[in-house]
Structures are given as C-alpha cells and as structure tokens.
Amino acid sequence: MSQNRPFLKNWKWRKLGDITTERLIGLVRNSKEQNDSHLCSYLKMDSIRTNGNLNLNLATKVNATPEEIDRYSLQNGDFLFNTRNSYELVGKTAVFESKEKQWLYNNNIMRIRFNEDINPWFVNIAFQSNLVKRQLNAAKNKTTSVCAIYDYHLVEIEIPIPPFDEQSRIVEIFKKVDRVRRKRQEAIRLTEELGRSLFLHMFSKYFETKYLQTFEDVSEVLIDCRNKTAPYADEGIPLIRTTNFKNYRLDLSELKYITQQTNQIWSSRHQTAPGDIVYCREAPYGMAATVPSEFYPCLGQRIMVSRPNQSKVSTEFLLFALNSSFVYRQALKVAIGSTVKHLRVVDVKGLNIPVAPLNEQKQFQQILYRCEQSWSNQILQKSDSENLFNSLLQRAFRGEL
C-alpha cells in the first residue's frame, strides 16, 4: 500500500508490526476479582479516552501473582491499544504515564512497545489522525455488540514516520496544546460538577423510599429505540448514537443521518424532540442528556427517550436525578454483559427517581441557569482549543509544523 502513497522527504510509511518489539494482551480478571481493597492498580478500557488521553481515576484494583505482575506490569511510555469494545470505541489509544508502581492492565487492552527509533507519543498522535483511523475502521471485526481489531490486522496498519528528532519536536508541540485542552476541560468539569453537587445538596433528603417513583412513573413517554441499525444517508434526519453521549450532554459534532422515510419507521412510536431526555443503555451506560432546541433526531441503538411528566418533574430536575450518584449506583447493580456492559429496558424503566416538590425544583432550575452561562463560555473556549488541535493534526502530517 505504502509504495503507492508518496509522502514527505525523510518520512517513511512503516507497518506497526515492523516498529514494535512487543504486543501483549493484558491480564484477565472478572468483576468479582476487582476490588479497591486489592493491591495492584488495574487499568481497563474505559480509562482510555477517545481523545488519546488516559484517565487513571477510572481504574480499579486486583490481586496478582509475582509472575503475573512481572508479565503484565505497565511502565511509562507503554502504548495502550483498546482491542475490544463497541464498534465506535474500539481502537482507542493512549500512552501510559504514572508515578505509581504496580499498574496492570486488562485483556481488552494490548500493551505495545516500540523500537528505539520510535516515540510512542508520536504514534499516539498518528492514531488520532484520519490517515490511521481509516485503516482501523477497515480492520474492525464485529460480532453482536462487541467489535474487535485483531493483532494480524493491527500489524498491517501503516504509519507515516519521520526521523526521531522530528517525532520529538512534533510531540512537544502537541503536548503544549494538550495542556491547554486539559485545563479547559477541567474548568468545564468543575462547572458541571457544581450542578451535580448542588443537586445532591438540595435533594438528598428525598432519597428515602417514600419520595421515590420509577423512571417510567415520572415520564409521559419512556420508550426504547428500534433495536436495529438504521441505514445511513448522506443527509437528512440526524441519528444520535451512544458515541454522541459525552460528559452528560449530546456532542453533535459527529452525526450520522438517515432519510425522512427511514425516520418515519424508526420514530413511529415517538419523535424525539427538544426538551426530551435521552438515556444511554450502553457504552456509556447510565448517562442521560437533554435534546437541544431545534433538534429532532432519530434514536440509534441502545438509547431510550423520555418525555418528563411536568406535573411531577421538570426536565432539568429529572436530568440531574438520572445522572446523580444515587441513580447511577442503581444502574451499576443491574448492568449485564461481560465485555461491554449494558442495561435492559425493563431495568431502566424501574430506576428509582427521587421526586422533590415542584417549587424546590424551580429554585434549582434558576440557580442552574447561572451555571449554564458559565458552562457555555467554557465550551466556546474548549471548542477553540479542539479546533487548534485538529488543525495541527492535519498540518503535522502534511509537514507544515
């Protein structure tokens, strides 16, 4: 393939299998063998984010034998590749970096180590580019809801590689931009956390049984999607998928579309509309988001929609209730599945929602509005930094940095 793809002077297309010294799938530990009281930190696929970063706070702990620790320990600079996940999420990557010792990783992750002339951070940048993503998409193998990229396909992935000094220079540029992205993301997280903390402060007294009603009871409409993949179109009605759920909101930057005719079939029971709440049953299960104004989407697989019963709950109140730790813990208990966990429709309908008096819900809504203004300003700044990162990504692989 590479011989038909001219590139920059001193850059070479190289197959992943030719630049690696090791590729190893991680340690198997089922959920019953994972506990925060155990000794070794255990990295799972959720810790690898879609933007190429790693969130170590999502890890758990396991026990392991000395032989397993020796074989599956992570060291700084290890390249991590998510080999099994949903179709949209498989192929995520990150570079491991931590001051703590005895980090292990699970069997949905491959640990990759490179030749001395390869900077793992540069490879991670390359895996965020369309040059590599197109190859990964072609390599995906899907069975039911689980998708995999196998080693025999992965080794054939071709990456444009410059000399080591140029790799390091490009990495430093991206690290500076990424620090800005992280700071703005943290500001957004703190603003969102303020809303969730306010919810708990105002309404935790209603977590008692006498105040609880099921998700179905507080909804005028609560239905599941049509559990079949809709045929895509180049334009038309937007289709929201599980990958559009990010940080308790809908990310509309990467939408798929279906025809009006298809939407009439897929949305025959209910047309999702502004003010509705959509709830994700898989990857990330247990996350809710509101449908924004002037947006009438169709539901993709593993998504439910609720139209709140305004005589019982406001849209804002129900949204924060669904995303609260009180309700999410219920979802954790009923989630099923070994690799990609998901929630059954009947279990979602039965989630217990604390119902507070409407006047208190209105007070919460008024305070929340001020938080939303701050959040909107932070989102604009984050969007600027994301645009800069993507622009640099294109320029880097055109040799313009």
Side-chain angles (χ1 to χ4, degrees):
M1 183 188 296
S2 59
Q3 63 184 0
N4 297 321
R5 293 155 69 180
F7 213 67
L8 301 169
K9 183 179 180 181
N10 298 325
W11 289 54
K12 296 181 179 179
W13 287 97
R14 301 175 67 180
K15 292 184 178 181
L16 189 78
D18 295 335
I19 62 175
T20 58
T21 59
E22 178 191 276
R23 300 182 306 278
L24 182 66
I25 295 294
L27 178 68
V28 177
R29 286 292 185 270
N30 63 43
S31 58
K32 294 181 180 179
E33 297 173 300
Q34 301 172 27
N35 192 298
D36 287 341
S37 65
H38 292 331
L39 299 178
C40 300
S41 297
Y42 187 61
L43 202 65
K44 299 195 291 184
M45 61 185 183
D46 290 349
S47 288
I48 302 177
R49 314 310 288 170
T50 56
N51 61 2
N53 289 327
L54 197 62
N55 186 348
L56 298 179
N57 294 326
L58 299 178
T60 183
K61 291 193 173 184
V62 298
N63 287 327
T65 66
E67 292 78 16
E68 288 172 329
I69 292 173
D70 182 62
R71 180 170 174 79
Y72 297 108
S73 285
L74 291 171
Q75 62 188 37
N76 288 343
D78 282 344
F79 182 73
L80 305 176
F81 182 83
N82 180 201
T83 58
R84 299 179 77 227
N85 207 322
S86 65
Y87 181 87
E88 291 82 5
L89 295 177
V90 69
K92 296 182 298 179
T93 65
V95 178
F96 179 77
E97 191 171 45
S98 175
K99 295 179 181 179
E100 298 179 17
K101 295 182 179 180
Q102 289 195 343
W103 275 91
L104 309 178
Y105 62 105
N106 90 338
N107 57 303
N108 294 311
I109 298 173
M110 179 184 289
R111 183 187 71 194
I112 300 177
R113 291 173 178 168
F114 295 102
N115 301 342
E116 291 184 355
D117 65 336
I118 302 297
N119 187 321
W121 295 95
F122 177 84
V123 177
N124 194 43
I125 293 169
F127 269 71
Q128 311 311 308
S129 72
N130 289 330
L131 290 171
V132 174
K133 283 186 175 180
R134 282 193 292 267
Q135 298 178 67
L136 292 174
N137 286 336
K140 293 177 180 180
N141 286 273
K142 185 175 182 181
T143 57
T144 63
S145 62
V146 179
C147 189
I149 298 178
Y150 297 110
D151 183 65
Y152 61 82
H153 281 141
L154 188 60
V155 296
E156 296 296 321
I157 298 295
E158 291 188 322
I159 308 169
I161 303 286
F164 187 80
D165 288 347
E166 180 66 3
Q167 294 176 47
S168 300
R169 186 183 73 83
I170 291 172
V171 166
E172 287 306 309
I173 293 173
F174 275 88
K175 281 189 174 183
K176 289 178 181 178
V177 177
D178 192 53
R179 282 193 288 270
V180 175
R181 292 168 76 200
R182 287 173 182 261
K183 286 180 180 179
R184 289 178 177 171
Q185 184 60 50
E186 179 63 12
I188 292 170
R189 187 193 68 79
L190 290 173
T191 303
E192 293 173 335
E193 187 62 36
L194 177 62
R196 291 192 290 275
S197 298
L198 175 65
F199 180 88
L200 292 175
H201 174 73
M202 291 183 65
F203 303 119
S204 59
K205 58 188 174 184
Y206 297 108
F207 290 177
E208 299 179 23
T209 303
K210 62 181 178 181
Y211 299 113
L212 301 180
Q213 297 186 42
T214 67
F215 189 10
E216 187 171 31
D217 288 339
V218 299
S219 301
E220 288 184 4
V221 173
L222 180 58
I223 61 171
D224 190 32
C225 62
R226 182 185 174 102
N227 279 307
K228 183 179 179 182
T229 302
Y232 297 153
D234 293 333
E235 57 184 18
I237 306 299
L239 179 76
I240 53 173
R241 300 169 295 158
T242 58
T243 51
N244 295 118
F245 286 77
K246 294 181 181 177
N247 299 319
Y248 311 100
R249 297 175 187 269
L250 287 179
D251 179 358
L252 307 182
S253 60
E254 296 183 7
L255 288 171
K256 296 290 186 181
Y257 296 90
I258 61 174
T259 65
Q260 179 68 48
Q261 184 179 11
T262 300
N263 183 59
Q264 288 175 354
I265 299 172
W266 258 251
S267 301
S268 59
R269 292 177 297 160
H270 176 78
Q271 175 59 61
T272 304
D276 286 349
I277 292 177
V278 285
Y279 187 85
C280 192
R281 295 197 293 111
E282 176 184 296
Y285 72 85
M287 185 180 293
T290 49
V291 178
S293 60
E294 300 181 6
F295 189 63
Y296 294 84
C298 179
L299 300 182
Q301 290 196 68
R302 306 285 192 177
I303 298 173
M304 296 180 68
V305 60
S306 163
R307 181 157 292 174
N309 184 335
Q310 299 291 333
S311 67
K312 295 182 177 182
V313 290
S314 68
T315 300
E316 293 79 9
F317 178 87
L318 181 55
L319 175 70
F320 274 82
L322 289 168
N323 287 327
S324 70
S325 57
F326 176 76
V327 175
Y328 185 65
R329 281 195 297 268
Q330 299 174 50
L332 285 176
K333 290 180 180 179
V334 296
I336 59 174
S338 56
T339 301
V340 180
K341 288 189 176 295
H342 63 275
L343 300 171
R344 299 184 305 165
V345 173
V346 65
D347 291 326
V348 174
K349 289 182 176 181
L351 292 172
N352 287 313
I353 307 297
V355 179
L358 289 174
N359 64 316
E360 294 186 30
Q361 295 184 37
K362 186 175 182 180
Q363 291 174 10
F364 172 71
Q365 186 175 343
Q366 290 171 343
I367 300 172
L368 193 63
Y369 175 74
R370 294 194 288 272
C371 294
E372 284 287 318
Q373 290 179 311
S374 175
W375 180 88
S376 296
N377 291 334
Q378 296 292 347
I379 284 292
L380 288 174
Q381 294 180 20
K382 179 177 181 290
S383 178
D384 289 341
S385 63
E386 292 291 343
N387 290 337
L388 175 59
F389 184 90
N390 292 329
S391 173
L392 289 175
L393 198 58
Q394 295 180 31
R395 291 171 59 192
F397 292 94
R398 292 200 300 260
E400 296 175 0
L401 284 185

